[in-house]
Amino acid sequence: MKQKNLQSFLMMLLASQILSFGLTYQAKAQTSIKDSLQKLLKTNLTDKKRVDTYNLLAKQYQRADSLKVTQFSTKAISLAQQINYPEGICDAYYQLGYNCMVRGYFKNARQFYEKIIPLAKQVTYHKGLHQAYIGLGIHLNFQGKFPQGMEYFKKALKIAQKANDLSLIANAHTTLGITHYRLGNTTKALKHYQKALNIHQKLGNKRGVGQNYNNMALIYERQGKYAKALANYQKVLQIFKTLKEAASTGSVLNNLGNIYRIQNSYSAAIKHYQESLKIWQKVGDHRNVALVYTDIGLTYQVQDLFPQAIDYHLKALKISEKIGEKSGMARSYYNIGAIHYRQKDYTLSRKYYLKSLRMFTKTGQKASLIKVYRGIATTYDKGNKHSRDSAEVYFKQALKTTLEVDDREFLGKIHEDLGIFYRNQQKYALSLTHLQKAIAIHKKQKQAHYLAHAQVSLGNTYYQLKEYPKAKNLLVTGTQLAKKIGATSTASLGYETLALTHQKLGDYEKAYNSHLLFKTMSDSLFNQQNTRRIAQLEARYRFQAEKDSISIVNQREKALLRAEKERHTLLNYLLLAGIMAFLIIGVLIIRQHRLRLRKNQLIQSQKEALYQANLEKEQIQQTHLRKELELKNQSLMSQALHIQQKNKFLEEVKSALPEFTKESKEEVIPQLKKIKHIIHRGLQSDKDWKKFQHYFEETYPQFYQELTKQFTNLSPADFRISALLRLNLNTQEIADILGISYRSANMARYRLRKKLALDTDDNLISFLMQFG
């Protein structure tokens, strides 16, 4: 982006924010920092200090007021360009990039971050270069591209280590830890958090210490170690309260609320959410206000208090709409859809899920799309046979997206979804495959709750297959684990099938004991449901009491009004006439509004129907393309097999010729040598390879282009080896096809790995599979 284009974009961004300013809340300033910086600008500062102050102000307004971020960053860039201060420009680009990123403008965010890199390298500004790499990594994480984001964080760590800046090193370790956490690798995440924590303790940076304790608590929360997580959060809360850091305190209070919600301590959860909400409202962070509203809504949701839940989700939606945050809007649509699903209104539930899908697709947040695909799939799964075909499509789309973003936490859940789905369709082979994969993933990720449920699900599948010994082993293991971790519903489901399994195996005493355990668990769940119903009744009672109180007040007001009418009859008649006129106008306005609303609803329903039709058409096209690709793959493999068999036959003939030559007469020997030469030429001929290459390029048209774009040092021989490996052929098959020895083929693979700069742990074939 040239200077003129940059200024043009900044003006457009500023203008768009001014136009939308009427839709945003007026932020309440953090007077202790923002006012001090504003006062500092009025003093006799040097130009460099003024640029730095503009950037600090932009940082203070991040997320709270994007308009001010753009204003102060633009001022910083303008002044820094006048005084030739590249470091100040780098810092301003970072603030603008972050501002764009949190609002969902990922392309613009990337442009700002990329502009920092050459500028920072030019003046050896390590902090600026570090910030650029961190920004690019976070930008990719926002879109669910965690492995790609990690590469930038590694670059940021190298820069920090090169500069020997402990603060930057700690920052890089923290971001790497967060990425490993999102990928489900909690062990590596903890290692990076611990390194960052050690550095912050060494530097005496209490804020950094608190942040990393908080990150560790999130891991303990995911692992189900709630007591440990609570202890960490309490420790962090004291640190941030001592530092008087309102925003960080608000985050920790929210995290504490999440723990209490998981532990079914709903009153404690609401209490902490309300405390967090007050802080975010005070500092003017509307995004986090919406997030807390969402968490409060979820707390009511798990108690089946759906009217209160929807009320809070709508509050969150309203804020997200006003600040223009698409991801927040998508999140609210999803949660409202989930409530309608719980109420068994699957059509309305799907409508909100589809809204969420469209919004998350716009923001490019693939990681968030996974649960939306799952939600849509479950609504179709509740329908007829035709709709269950759509359920399968969406479950598979969820699995595909999970693999794309490498989300290991959700991967096991999706496999279990598919396993249960196929079991219900009586496709038991597919059910077993997916459930076994789910168990393996949950074991590796140490996800006890999910593992117990997957084991019980697999046991149910084996029961339906009448493989009772296998069913028994899995059901025993699953129910014991569920009972240990307090997963009552999973244990109840397991004991129910286990009782039937023992009965089939003729062990009636164990069948009876399992049935008793099932009844115990069922009673426990029934008691929990009763507790929820009591909470619902209490909530309704409070609501009715408020209505009754309002009714009494209204009656008193009416009595006063009647007395006033008796004293001022003429005046009241005039007032009544005015009210009637007002009501008539109001009725006309309401009628007009309803007509407009009906028209909009009709247009919206037509749009929904068109969208659904296009979606089904796209699914048919995808099926057609997949079949076409399978045919091309078959042709390609047939060609490869033909070359292999031909070369193998020629090699066999060639190897037999020397023996035949020894036994032949001298006048025949020249002819035999000529045959050997022809065979050699046949093995080296490019004719078959060109035909194979033609089939390959038809099947994978982008393979060579993408490989050449990333690796410019590859030879034609390297491309041949790469193409054959892309087809998942082994070394002997490659040697036969190319007419070379096994050792030569192995050496060619080794040279290719070096050119592709792969580590010993990296799988060459898996790496090449991602191209084309």
Side-chain angles (χ1 to χ4, degrees):
M1 192 188 297
K2 294 181 180 179
Q3 184 60 35
K4 187 175 180 181
N5 292 338
L6 174 64
Q7 289 175 349
S8 174
F9 172 74
L10 287 173
M11 291 304 294
M12 280 170 44
L13 182 62
L14 195 61
S16 69
Q17 289 170 336
I18 289 169
L19 287 170
S20 65
F21 187 64
L23 299 175
T24 62
Y25 292 111
Q26 180 61 41
K28 298 177 183 177
Q30 292 172 274
T31 55
S32 58
I33 301 174
K34 295 172 185 173
D35 288 356
S36 298
L37 291 170
Q38 291 277 18
K39 288 176 183 177
L40 189 61
L41 285 174
K42 296 176 182 178
T43 63
N44 190 21
L45 292 173
T46 64
D47 286 335
K48 281 190 176 182
K49 286 285 184 184
R50 191 169 294 277
V51 170
D52 293 337
T53 306
Y54 283 141
N55 282 324
L56 285 172
L57 273 165
K59 185 178 180 181
Q60 288 300 314
Y61 281 104
Q62 283 291 8
R63 294 195 176 185
D65 192 335
S66 58
L67 174 64
K68 289 189 181 295
V69 175
T70 306
Q71 288 175 333
F72 286 119
S73 298
T74 306
K75 286 180 180 180
I77 291 170
S78 179
L79 182 55
Q81 286 172 340
Q82 292 176 29
I83 63 173
N84 191 24
Y85 182 28
E87 292 86 347
I89 298 172
C90 289
D91 291 343
Y93 281 155
Y94 178 77
Q95 297 303 331
L96 286 167
Y98 192 83
N99 189 36
C100 288
M101 182 175 64
V102 296
R103 296 179 68 226
Y105 301 135
F106 296 119
K107 183 179 178 181
N108 295 327
R110 186 178 185 89
Q111 288 175 346
F112 281 119
Y113 292 142
E114 287 177 341
K115 283 189 69 65
I116 297 172
I117 296 172
L119 197 58
K121 284 181 178 179
Q122 184 182 341
V123 294
T124 321
Y125 184 35
H126 293 300
K127 180 187 173 185
L129 192 56
H130 172 86
Q131 283 187 146
Y133 289 140
I134 291 289
L136 286 165
I138 296 172
H139 152 270
L140 288 163
N141 279 8
F142 259 73
Q143 299 171 77
K145 301 175 182 178
F146 301 112
Q148 298 94 315
M150 191 177 294
E151 293 306 311
Y152 279 107
F153 296 142
K154 287 177 181 177
K155 287 182 180 181
L157 180 58
K158 286 180 181 177
I159 291 295
Q161 289 169 337
K162 185 178 179 181
N164 196 26
D165 188 321
L166 291 178
S167 180
L168 297 183
I169 292 170
N171 186 32
H173 277 302
T174 299
T175 51
L176 281 165
I178 292 168
T179 309
H180 280 300
Y181 168 78
R182 294 300 300 275
L183 286 169
N185 196 331
T186 53
T187 304
K188 286 187 178 180
L190 277 172
K191 284 181 181 178
H192 282 290
Y193 289 151
Q194 190 62 57
K195 286 179 180 178
L197 179 63
N198 294 340
I199 293 171
H200 286 307
Q201 287 174 333
K202 184 178 179 180
L203 294 172
N205 181 357
K206 290 184 179 180
R207 186 175 186 276
V209 170
Q211 283 179 334
N212 282 280
Y213 272 132
N214 185 71
N215 291 334
M216 289 177 173
L218 287 169
I219 289 178
Y220 297 137
E221 182 181 331
R222 174 179 283 189
Q223 293 174 339
K225 300 174 182 178
Y226 301 124
K228 207 168 183 178
L230 279 171
N232 259 37
Y233 282 137
Q234 294 292 356
K235 193 185 299 183
V236 176
L237 189 61
Q238 291 306 313
I239 291 172
F240 287 140
K241 280 185 175 178
T242 303
L243 294 172
K244 296 182 179 179
E245 289 209 5
S248 299
T249 303
S251 293
V252 179
L253 286 166
N254 206 69
N255 291 340
L256 280 164
N258 292 339
I259 293 284
Y260 287 121
R261 186 178 76 212
I262 291 167
Q263 294 184 313
N264 302 330
S265 300
Y266 303 121
S267 297
I270 294 291
K271 177 188 172 185
H272 283 84
Y273 289 142
Q274 293 290 1
E275 288 180 25
S276 175
L277 185 62
K278 287 177 185 176
I279 291 172
W280 295 124
Q281 287 173 333
K282 187 176 181 180
V283 301
D285 191 330
H286 312 306
R287 180 178 180 273
N288 275 304
V289 168
L291 285 171
V292 178
Y293 278 144
T294 297
D295 284 327
I296 294 173
L298 290 171
T299 306
Y300 284 121
Q301 196 167 323
V302 296
Q303 299 175 78
D304 293 343
L305 300 171
F306 299 128
Q308 295 91 324
I310 285 183
D311 182 48
Y312 276 98
H313 289 316
L314 288 174
K315 285 181 180 180
L317 177 61
K318 186 177 179 181
I319 292 175
S320 297
E321 287 174 341
K322 287 189 175 182
I323 64 175
E325 190 185 14
K326 296 181 181 69
S327 59
M329 294 160 64
R331 185 169 54 246
S332 295
Y333 285 139
Y334 174 82
N335 289 326
I336 295 169
I339 291 173
H340 288 301
Y341 180 85
R342 291 278 297 277
Q343 293 179 310
K344 298 183 180 180
D345 190 342
Y346 304 120
T347 303
L348 190 55
S349 172
R350 189 183 311 128
K351 178 181 176 181
Y352 278 99
Y353 282 150
L354 287 169
K355 283 185 177 182
S356 178
L357 176 66
R358 289 194 290 274
M359 202 64 72
F360 275 131
T361 303
K362 284 180 183 178
T363 63
Q365 292 171 268
K366 284 191 174 182
S368 299
L369 284 171
I370 299 167
K371 64 179 183 180
V372 183
Y373 285 132
R374 289 181 75 212
I376 296 170
T378 56
T379 63
Y380 278 120
D381 193 22
K382 297 294 182 181
N384 55 30
K385 185 179 182 298
H386 177 70
S387 70
R388 285 196 289 274
D389 292 338
S390 298
E392 184 177 9
V393 170
Y394 278 103
F395 275 133
K396 286 183 176 180
Q397 186 61 46
L399 179 61
K400 179 185 174 185
T401 308
T402 308
L403 291 168
E404 284 175 359
V405 303
D406 197 16
D407 190 330
R408 295 165 199 175
E409 181 181 4
F410 263 104
L411 186 58
K413 292 182 188 177
I414 303 297
H415 277 300
E416 187 176 356
D417 287 342
L418 280 162
I420 294 169
F421 173 78
Y422 285 126
R423 183 181 68 211
N424 293 338
Q425 306 303 309
Q426 296 184 346
K427 297 178 181 179
Y428 295 116
L430 286 170
S431 175
L432 291 173
T433 300
H434 284 287
L435 289 171
Q436 285 163 353
K437 284 182 180 179
I439 288 172
I441 292 165
H442 293 326
K443 280 182 179 178
K444 190 174 181 181
Q445 298 299 320
K446 298 179 181 178
Q447 296 167 316
H449 280 78
Y450 303 145
L451 175 60
H453 197 274
Q455 287 171 332
V456 169
S457 297
L458 184 57
N460 281 330
T461 301
Y462 276 122
Y463 176 81
Q464 290 188 18
L465 284 168
K466 299 182 181 180
E467 296 186 32
Y468 302 123
K470 288 182 180 179
K472 184 189 79 172
N473 292 337
L474 281 158
L475 290 166
V476 168
T477 306
T479 49
Q480 286 177 349
L481 178 57
K483 194 174 178 182
K484 181 181 176 182
I485 60 177
T488 310
S489 59
T490 301
S492 174
L493 178 67
Y495 281 124
E496 183 181 17
T497 311
L498 188 58
L500 297 171
T501 305
H502 282 309
Q503 185 180 349
K504 294 290 185 183
L505 291 169
D507 197 336
Y508 299 107
E509 184 179 351
K510 286 185 178 178
Y512 175 72
N513 291 334
S514 295
H515 183 72
L516 286 178
L517 287 167
F518 162 65
K519 287 295 292 178
T520 303
M521 296 293 176
S522 297
D523 290 343
S524 175
L525 287 170
F526 179 73
N527 290 335
Q528 289 177 20
Q529 289 171 356
N530 279 343
T531 303
R532 285 185 182 178
R533 288 193 186 101
I534 290 167
Q536 286 177 318
L537 289 171
E538 287 177 349
R540 287 171 187 164
Y541 173 77
R542 287 194 299 270
F543 181 69
Q544 189 61 43
E546 288 174 5
K547 283 179 69 178
D548 292 342
S549 175
I550 292 168
S551 177
I552 291 167
V553 171
N554 287 340
Q555 287 173 8
R556 289 176 181 172
E557 286 179 350
K558 285 177 182 177
L560 290 171
L561 186 61
R562 280 195 300 271
E564 187 71 17
K565 283 181 180 179
E566 289 173 2
R567 288 192 298 268
H568 305 283
T569 307
L570 183 59
L571 181 63
N572 285 343
Y573 276 127
L574 292 173
L575 181 62
L576 183 61
I579 291 171
M580 289 298 294
F582 177 80
L583 286 173
I584 291 168
I585 294 169
V587 167
L588 290 172
I589 292 171
I590 291 168
R591 186 180 176 187
Q592 186 67 25
H593 175 71
R594 284 179 177 173
L595 287 171
R596 193 183 300 113
L597 189 63
R598 284 174 189 168
K599 184 179 178 181
N600 290 340
Q601 286 174 342
L602 179 62
I603 293 169
Q604 184 63 30
S605 63
Q606 288 173 345
K607 285 182 178 178
E608 293 282 352
L610 182 61
Y611 175 83
Q612 191 62 34
N614 288 336
L615 189 65
E616 289 174 358
K617 182 180 177 183
E618 186 180 340
Q619 289 168 2
I620 293 167
Q621 288 175 345
Q622 286 177 350
T623 304
H624 176 73
L625 289 172
R626 185 167 63 252
K627 288 181 180 178
E628 188 177 324
L629 182 61
E630 286 172 0
L631 287 172
K632 287 183 178 180
N633 264 322
Q634 289 174 6
S635 300
L636 184 59
M637 292 305 295
S638 297
Q639 183 64 21
L641 184 62
H642 165 73
I643 296 171
Q644 180 190 9
Q645 289 174 344
K646 183 209 75 174
N647 287 353
K648 210 167 183 181
F649 172 76
L650 290 177
E651 281 291 351
E652 288 174 1
V653 174
K654 185 180 176 183
S655 60
L657 281 176
E659 292 298 324
F660 191 71
T661 304
K662 290 177 185 178
E663 298 173 6
S664 301
K665 295 179 182 181
E666 289 183 1
E667 60 271 17
V668 181
I669 290 172
Q671 295 299 322
L672 293 174
K673 287 183 178 179
K674 186 175 180 182
I675 291 169
K676 185 176 182 180
H677 180 66
I678 291 168
I679 290 169
H680 181 72
R681 275 170 42 204
L683 287 168
Q684 300 300 317
S685 173
D686 282 340
K687 182 180 177 182
D688 289 326
W689 176 258
K690 286 178 180 177
K691 191 173 180 181
F692 168 83
Q693 194 168 16
H694 171 71
Y695 281 118
F696 184 87
E697 288 178 348
E698 273 193 345
T699 309
Y700 304 104
Q702 301 298 320
F703 180 81
Y704 290 123
Q705 291 180 13
E706 292 177 5
L707 203 58
T708 305
K709 187 177 179 181
Q710 192 166 341
F711 303 99
T712 56
N713 59 337
L714 298 181
S715 66
D718 292 328
F719 283 118
R720 289 187 178 188
I721 289 289
S722 300
L724 294 170
L725 288 169
R726 178 67 176 78
L727 296 177
N728 202 15
L729 297 174
N730 61 38
T731 307
Q732 186 60 57
E733 290 169 337
I734 292 170
D736 291 339
I737 290 169
L738 295 178
I740 59 177
S741 68
Y742 179 89
R743 185 178 178 185
S744 298
N746 210 21
M747 182 57 69
R749 283 183 64 146
Y750 173 75
R751 285 195 296 269
L752 180 61
R753 286 182 68 89
K754 288 190 71 177
K755 289 184 180 180
L756 298 178
L758 296 179
D759 294 332
T760 53
D761 294 338
D762 294 332
N763 187 290
L764 177 57
I765 292 175
S766 297
F767 178 77
L768 290 170
M769 286 285 187
Q770 65 185 313
F771 295 96

